Amino acid sequence: MSSTRWLSKSRGLVLGLSLGDAAAGSGVNDPRVRVLHAGAATELAAWTIEGLLREFVAEGWAITAQSCEVQHAYQRWALLRGAHPTSDLWNPVATVEGSPARGWLLDELGTRAVRGSSPSMLSVVTTGLPSQQPSSRAIVKGLPYAILAGADDFVTSGPDKVAVYAGLLASRTHTHPEAVGGAAVSTLILAHCLRATEPLRTVMESCRDGLAYLGGTSPLTGFDVKLIIDTIEAGAGHPGDGTVIRRLAPDDSALSSLRAAIYVAMSCSEADDARQALELSAAAPDQRSVAAIALAFLGALRGYEALPQDLVNRLELGWTMDRLAIDLATRVSDRSWDSSDDARLRTKYPA
């Protein structure tokens, strides 16, 4: 895959996530709605990328289940929300070479505003105690991790094994099996989308072996992989049916949102119609999470050019998320990269 195409697909993943989170239920066809406002899920995804890039600077590698840099990135998110920490692990702004390691995202005007509500995640970050709730936000915030798994030349172990690390990383903030397993499964699917040139239905079929592998790993303990396979079959056999979405997603849990997102994306896979995906997502209880995951799938498969540019241009955090996606995708695709030779990245993501 050419570097240009790889960059487009990585940007498509991140901008698709952002568009789904911002546009779902926002009246995208209303000319009076000029700005599509980001939610807390988009903000957390931004800080996930920021933390991964700091991990690269600190360690030269970012595939790890114990990323302290990502956890500190979430602390910076909480810091901007006026958090009052009670954890001994609180260290949002470390000192690097005698100076506060703030980084560019902490002082970016777009990310300094408080958007949406995520009281459970705020509690997790300030106390250091993971949530036991089956939150779909645990999946959405970690979707960019798939960029690590999706690069052919970056990992030789395959996306299924890297997806295990995505689940383990998710378990640092959420311990419910649906949240941990959902993070691993979504990473696996996105990694295949990033690598693929085939239609989404073919890509989903190719995920079966990976799903079988994941089913025997610790992140999927208590997670029923068969429900994901059943969802893929429903998307292939009966696409675009709101009643099916309501059956797959009876509530706003992580598993329900992931199943609905897979179905929605498969229903739109031939035309890659992001607008249709937004409309179908409205049938799910957690519309924003479903749209964010579904559009991440479609964007990762076809690239950011396949997303409706008139909507992307209205994203409140569009430029910020795009810049983060470019930085991560560029870093992952450069096998000769050495942090000591990259002063620009060390300045933006000090560690």
Side-chain angles (χ1 to χ4, degrees), residues 97-132:
E97 297 179 355
S99 300
R102 295 182 65 84
W104 77 278
L105 195 60
L106 189 60
D107 295 316
E108 160 64 23
L109 289 177
T111 54
R112 292 186 67 83
V114 175
R115 298 175 183 82
S117 174
S118 187
S120 63
M121 186 63 184
L122 198 61
S123 175
V124 167
V125 175
T126 54
T127 65
L129 301 175
S131 170
Q132 298 179 10

Side-chain angles (χ1 to χ4, degrees), residues 22 55 111 116 179 197 224 229 246-247 315 320 326 339 344:
E55 194 73 38
T111 54
T197 57
D224 192 349
I229 295 174
R246 286 186 284 274
R247 175 175 63 82
L315 286 174
T320 301
I326 291 170
S339 65
R344 180 191 68 85

